[in-house]
């Protein structure tokens, strides 16, 4: 249980185009989803916290107009990288926090498999 | 603020060797502690966790004990296998910081036959 999926798993796009990444909780509802970015051989950097039905909260230094986050339902959050540039190439990982029922603790995050974005 | 410091890698061990990856934390509240594992090209998988002092998390032969007195959560395994080769992340989450996760920098482990 507690499976989080991401789509696509990898994408290559041209500079200047926009890319949308989906994050879904498959067997549970998540009021909160998180988006992380991971550079090669580095740790995860939290980009933003996404709450269902409200605006995302971005971490300092993350451009909210460039990384658009939509959390339209309790099982889906999307990250759109707008006007992508080569420096946006990275591994993007989402995670979802359960609503604290059915024996699952409400502080644990379940991570998606990640999406590798390459901007040429 | 809250933070996690873990042993820098990379770590290379022979199969069946003993593994220790050190992790210490700083937190103002009472955090839960986690170890995640990331295999090449994949996302993070929860390896084990501990939610309060003196708890021991264990899974797949890995263990870690929540030591409040030393603010540590070191990962250990008595006999590593080639399939354990991955990057290991120590992390904490505390309710007084909105349950936000703080990750260490990761330790790369390579196990050679």
């Amino acid at each position: 249980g507690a499976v989080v999926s991401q789509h696509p798993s990898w994408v290559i796009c041209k500079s200047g185009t926009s890319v949308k990444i989906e994050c879904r909780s498959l067997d549970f509802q998540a009021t909160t989803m998180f988006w992380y970015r991971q550079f090669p051989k580095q740790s995860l950097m939290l980009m933003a916290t996404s709450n269902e039905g409200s605006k995302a909260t971005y971490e300092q230094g993350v451009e909210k107009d460039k990384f658009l986050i939509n959390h339209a339902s309790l099982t889906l959050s999307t990250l759109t990288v707008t006007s992508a540039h080569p420096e946006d190439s990275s591994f993007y990982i989402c995670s979802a926090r359960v609503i604290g029922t059915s024996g699952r603790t409400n502080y644990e995050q379940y991570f998606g498999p990640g999406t590798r974005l390459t901007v040429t | 603020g809250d933070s996690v410091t873990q042993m820098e890698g990379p770590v290379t061990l022979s199969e069946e060797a003993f593994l220790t990856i050190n992790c210490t934390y700083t937190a103002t509240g009472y955090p839960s502690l986690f170890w995640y594992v990331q295999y090449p090209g994949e996302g993070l998988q929860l390896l084990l966790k501990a939610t309060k002092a003196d708890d021991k998390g264990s899974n797949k032969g890995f263990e870690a004990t929540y030591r409040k007195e030393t603010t540590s959560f070191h990962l250990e395994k008595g006999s590593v296998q080639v399939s354990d080769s991955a990057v290991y992340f120590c992390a904490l989450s505390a309710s007084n910081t909105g349950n936000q996760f703080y990750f260490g920098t990761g330790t790369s482990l390579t196990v050679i036959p």
Side-chain angles (χ1 to χ4, degrees), chain A residues 28-32 52 74 96-102 104-108 110:
Chain A
F28 65 98
Q29 294 182 324
T31 53
T32 305
E52 186 265 338
L74 287 172
R97 190 163 68 199
V98 299
I99 301 180
T101 58
S102 304
R104 293 182 182 141
T105 54
N106 61 7
Y107 51 75
E108 189 168 335
Y110 298 90

Side-chain angles (χ1 to χ4, degrees), chain A residues 8 15 35 53 56 66 71 100 107-108:
Chain A
S15 187
W35 286 97
K66 181 168 187 62
H71 193 158
Y107 51 75
E108 189 168 335

Side-chain angles (χ1 to χ4, degrees), chain B residues 31-50:
Chain B
S32 295
L33 302 174
F34 305 83
W35 276 101
Y36 283 86
V37 58
Q38 185 179 35
Y39 297 101
E42 299 183 14
L44 271 67
Q45 299 175 28
L46 177 64
L47 181 60
L48 54 84
K49 65 181 180 183

Side-chain angles (χ1 to χ4, degrees), chain B residues 6 9 13 16 20 24 37 40-42 53 59 62-63 67 69 73 75-76 83 86 91 95-99:
Chain B
Q6 68 180 97
L13 294 174
E16 299 184 2
T20 299
T24 57
V37 58
E42 299 183 14
N59 185 26
F62 290 89
E63 293 183 341
R67 302 280 188 204
E69 64 275 16
F73 193 56
L75 182 68
E76 296 182 337
S83 58
S95 58
N96 66 317
T97 53
N99 297 124

Side-chain angles (χ1 to χ4, degrees), chain B residues 51-113:
Chain B
T51 59
K52 61 183 187 294
D54 299 325
D55 269 3
K56 177 186 283 188
S58 61
N59 185 26
K60 299 180 181 179
F62 290 89
E63 293 183 341
T65 301
Y66 189 142
R67 302 280 188 204
K68 189 176 180 182
E69 64 275 16
T70 54
T71 61
S72 65
F73 193 56
H74 304 322
L75 182 68
E76 296 182 337
K77 185 174 186 181
S79 176
V80 294
Q81 305 301 312
V82 172
S83 58
D84 294 326
S85 298
V87 179
Y88 294 81
F89 292 93
C90 185
L92 71 81
S93 173
S95 58
N96 66 317
T97 53
N99 297 124
Q100 179 175 327
F101 267 59
Y102 295 89
F103 287 90
T105 53
T107 302
S108 175
L109 169 66
T110 300
V111 180
I112 54 177

Side-chain angles (χ1 to χ4, degrees), chain A residues 13-85:
Chain A
C13 71
K14 293 188 176 182
S15 187
T17 61
S18 296
V19 174
K20 180 185 285 187
I21 302 170
E22 293 186 348
C23 176
R24 292 181 185 272
S25 56
L26 299 185
D27 57 350
F28 65 98
Q29 294 182 324
T31 53
T32 305
M33 289 185 171
F34 303 86
W35 286 97
Y36 296 85
R37 183 173 180 176
Q38 185 182 29
F39 291 102
K41 299 185 179 181
Q42 295 187 27
S43 189
L44 280 71
M45 180 191 79
L46 179 65
M47 298 175 65
T49 301
S50 168
N51 292 299
E52 186 265 338
S54 63
K55 291 183 178 180
T57 302
Y58 291 81
E59 295 299 303
Q60 191 172 9
V62 179
E63 298 177 60
K64 62 180 181 180
D65 294 330
K66 181 168 187 62
F67 298 99
L68 301 179
I69 291 173
N70 187 315
H71 193 158
S73 75
L74 287 172
T75 60
L76 173 65
S77 177
T78 60
L79 167 68
T80 301
V81 182
T82 62
S83 186
H85 291 282

